[in-house]
Amino acid sequence: MAFSLEGKLVVAISSRALFDFEEENQIFEASDDSAYMQLQLNRIDLPAKPGVAYPLVKKLLTFNEGGQQNVEVVILSRNDPVSGLRVFRSAKNAGLAIERGVFTRGRAPYHYLKSLQANLFLSANADDVRATLDAGFPAAMVFPQSKQLAESNPDEIRIAFDGDAVLFSDEAERIFQAKGLDAFVAHESHKVETPLPPGPFKPLLEALHRLQVSAKKSGQPMKIRTALVTARSAPAHERAIRTLMAWGVTVDEAMFLGGLAKKDFLKEFQPDFFFDDQLGHCELASDVAPTGQVLSGIANQIK
């Protein structure tokens, strides 16, 4: 019987997001792929160190213990197949049950996301992230230098999302950018009962919600906790909450910060990953938690 990804939480991840290949990447950028391939081949028996998304992946894979098959993690990488050998060996050495991978040797890999039915793609390559978002899949550019929280909350996955241009569209953000805060508040108050259009990460939140409900019913020891961390404040908070209600999904925590620094609140929440569209927020957040920038919305339009 053919293996099916139907109903699973599918995370596609680049080798640089899963493992620390920053030194090897410097060789790739300074020369050509042949030197990079040779270096990876020379180090094939040297397990790579954990990368920024490693703790998240390790926790997610626990949902497959006890004969369950709820999560699929797939390597989706611009690496060549030879370099892919080291990736798989490093995963095996780390005890990560990763069986599938696609290696494209320099070509954009996002074309395979439809076949993978992916709910998320994590990559250190900005072009691949933009192409993935344009294709309609949740994707974020990881900050390899992000602080890792490998030992934090070992029995709970914590994921935090920004609102506008991440969970929701950038409709309201465009009003704010063009006309200022007062116009933004007036717009959101007027449309308070109209759900915001979905943003690129709605499918991931929905998939996490399904996994969260299923895990609770089955008594799975690993828990999932989600948070909305947004610059919105009252009265603009209400439309965000009503939108989630209309979608039939929930978040466990909501932080309406009204301009307060997200970094301080993320330090307390201790997410395994935080997703935001704005570079400044991501740079600050990466000091306290694994962070991915969602290269969508008006804040990321290439001028």
Side-chain angles (χ1 to χ4, degrees), residues 172-217:
E173 179 67 20
R174 288 179 179 273
I175 298 293
F176 174 73
Q177 294 284 351
K179 300 180 180 180
L181 180 60
D182 289 344
F184 166 82
V185 171
H187 178 268
E188 293 304 279
S189 298
H190 177 68
K191 291 199 168 187
V192 65
E193 296 186 7
T194 303
L196 282 153
F201 270 60
K202 180 192 176 188
L204 176 60
L205 180 62
E206 290 176 324
L208 287 169
H209 181 70
R210 289 193 298 269
L211 183 59
Q212 187 180 42
V213 171
S214 174
K216 189 176 293 185
K217 288 181 178 178

Side-chain angles (χ1 to χ4, degrees), residues 144-284:
Q145 75 277 15
S146 296
K147 181 177 180 180
Q148 295 181 30
L149 303 175
E151 303 304 321
S152 298
N153 310 299
D155 297 322
E156 189 171 68
I157 294 174
R158 299 186 180 186
I159 299 182
F161 301 90
D162 181 27
D164 297 289
V166 179
L167 289 181
F168 316 126
S169 79
D170 68 341
E171 172 195 290
E173 179 67 20
R174 288 179 179 273
I175 298 293
F176 174 73
Q177 294 284 351
K179 300 180 180 180
L181 180 60
D182 289 344
F184 166 82
V185 171
H187 178 268
E188 293 304 279
S189 298
H190 177 68
K191 291 199 168 187
V192 65
E193 296 186 7
T194 303
L196 282 153
F201 270 60
K202 180 192 176 188
L204 176 60
L205 180 62
E206 290 176 324
L208 287 169
H209 181 70
R210 289 193 298 269
L211 183 59
Q212 187 180 42
V213 171
S214 174
K216 189 176 293 185
K217 288 181 178 178
S218 65
Q220 163 68 238
M222 180 65 74
K223 305 296 189 295
I224 296 176
R225 191 167 188 84
T226 55
L228 170 65
V229 184
T230 173
R232 285 174 177 256
S233 58
H237 73 296
E238 186 170 345
R239 192 181 184 197
I241 295 175
R242 285 180 176 270
T243 297
L244 294 175
M245 292 170 61
W247 292 350
V249 298
T250 59
V251 292
D252 297 292
E253 300 189 25
M255 307 174 199
F256 299 101
L257 302 182
L260 294 175
K262 294 182 181 182
K263 175 181 177 179
D264 297 335
F265 292 85
L266 291 168
K267 186 175 182 180
E268 297 300 325
F269 182 66
Q270 296 183 323
D272 292 285
F273 234 88
F274 169 59
F275 298 103
D276 199 295
D277 67 306
Q278 299 200 28
L279 177 61
H281 293 318
C282 290
E283 288 178 334
L284 291 172

